[in-house]
Amino acid sequence: MAGDELLGLVTVVIPTRDEVKGIGLVLDEVLSVGVPRERVLVVDGGSTDGTVDVAVRYGVRVVQQEGRGKADAIWTALKYVNTPYMLVMDGDYSYPARYIPEMVREVMRTGADEVIGVRKPLPCSQGPIYRLGNRLLTWVFNLLFDTKLHDVLSGMYIVRVESLRDAVAEVGGFSIEAHIAAHMISTGRVVREIPIEYRPRVGKKKLGVVDGLRIFRDMVLLTTRYNPMLILFLLGALLLIPGFSSALCRLLVHILRH
């Protein structure tokens, strides 16, 4: 299948909220790699800085998201996407659009339900705290879901729309990437990864330490839905600790007395 035909199978979804400095750069790149204009969907979360005006001038489809947050932007996009695949990328210019054709080829070649772009940060694109937090959260995800992913929170990924539609639209905020990966893995779908560059974002940073804690909380909530036996096992282990400690103390007392 030719490259143009492949790109016709995917809708590029760009969630935005006050990305006036970056959205034009992103759309220039997306269109330059051959994505048809009618296959670009900007889902805006209530921008007040002119983001929507810029997107409209490019002739791509722009819709207002229902609800708030990035997760609601994805669930809103599903109502408009009519292609077999949906590729999500941020509107802040941090993810190079030149990887779109490669990600489309990878999902088609492997038959995967999701392909995640594993970020390889360029200088000044990620601070040390942000990078450490991302690694810790990915490690937690791998522990909870028995996976070996390298960047579960990457904001650039392609998913098979049919495989995503049956996910429950809960657990929101910036945890949508973990939600999608958890859904795919826990329902027997295939997840692949490819390396991509990650540039310094254009515009104001939105994530902070508190958001990282919320993502951790949401991962635990996802585990109760998709892997409840693990939670029951951990709770059982915690309940055994007091009994084990008491038995150990009695044994030590017995040894000391004799």
Side-chain angles (χ1 to χ4, degrees):
M1 189 177 291
D4 291 345
E5 294 180 56
L6 285 176
L7 290 175
L9 297 175
V10 61
T11 298
V12 176
V13 175
I14 309 173
T16 59
R17 181 171 63 85
D18 294 332
E19 303 288 1
V20 69
K21 294 181 179 180
I23 188 60
L25 298 171
V26 174
L27 292 173
D28 278 332
E29 280 196 347
V30 169
L31 296 173
S32 71
V33 300
V35 177
R37 206 173 298 270
E38 64 273 15
R39 293 287 185 247
V40 181
L41 176 65
V42 175
V43 184
D44 189 70
S47 295
T48 59
D49 64 348
T51 297
V52 171
D53 295 332
V54 174
V56 168
R57 286 202 294 270
Y58 277 83
V60 301
R61 189 170 191 181
V62 182
V63 299
Q64 290 296 318
Q65 77 174 61
E66 301 172 12
R68 299 180 60 184
K70 192 174 182 181
D72 283 338
I74 301 304
W75 304 129
T76 299
L78 279 174
K79 297 181 179 181
Y80 296 90
V81 173
N82 57 7
T83 52
Y85 297 94
M86 178 172 87
L87 186 144
V88 180
M89 61 187 299
D90 291 344
D92 59 13
Y93 197 59
S94 54
Y95 294 93
R98 70 174 181 272
Y99 292 103
I100 293 175
E102 183 178 349
M103 295 183 78
V104 175
R105 286 193 296 269
E106 180 70 9
V107 77
M108 295 294 292
R109 182 185 69 82
T110 62
D113 297 275
E114 179 180 17
V115 173
I116 300 172
V118 178
R119 291 169 288 182
K120 304 299 180 184
L122 296 178
C124 301
S125 61
Q126 282 185 337
I129 294 178
Y130 185 96
R131 191 175 303 187
L132 176 62
N134 185 64
R135 288 179 178 175
L136 285 174
L137 289 169
T138 296
W139 178 80
V140 168
F141 183 91
N142 286 333
L143 180 66
L144 294 176
F145 292 93
D146 190 27
T147 57
K148 295 181 180 180
L149 298 178
H150 297 86
D151 191 7
V152 73
L153 299 179
S154 172
M156 187 172 184
Y157 50 94
I158 184 171
V159 294
R160 189 188 302 270
V161 173
E162 182 182 356
S163 300
L164 182 58
R165 288 197 187 278
D166 59 345
V168 179
E170 297 175 4
V171 185
F174 283 90
S175 309
I176 183 62
E177 289 83 13
H179 185 167
I180 292 173
H183 174 73
M184 295 298 175
I185 290 164
S186 301
T187 54
R189 269 80 175 217
V190 178
V191 177
R192 294 284 184 262
E193 299 176 308
I194 67 167
I196 63 173
E197 289 183 350
Y198 184 71
R199 301 179 293 211
R201 63 168 290 134
V202 175
K204 187 178 179 181
K205 182 179 177 182
K206 294 186 175 71
L207 277 175
V209 175
V210 174
D211 295 295
L213 296 175
R214 289 171 179 162
I215 292 172
F216 173 79
R217 176 203 64 192
D218 289 348
M219 284 183 179
V220 175
L221 291 175
L222 286 167
T223 309
T224 63
R225 174 188 301 159
Y226 290 112
N227 194 7
M229 294 305 296
L230 176 62
I231 296 297
L232 291 174
F233 172 79
L234 292 176
L235 290 175
L238 289 174
L239 291 173
L240 287 175
I241 291 175
F244 177 77
S245 300
S246 176
L248 181 61
C249 288
R250 287 197 298 270
L251 177 61
L252 289 174
V253 169
H254 177 77
I255 292 173
L256 291 173
R257 284 179 176 177
H258 296 82

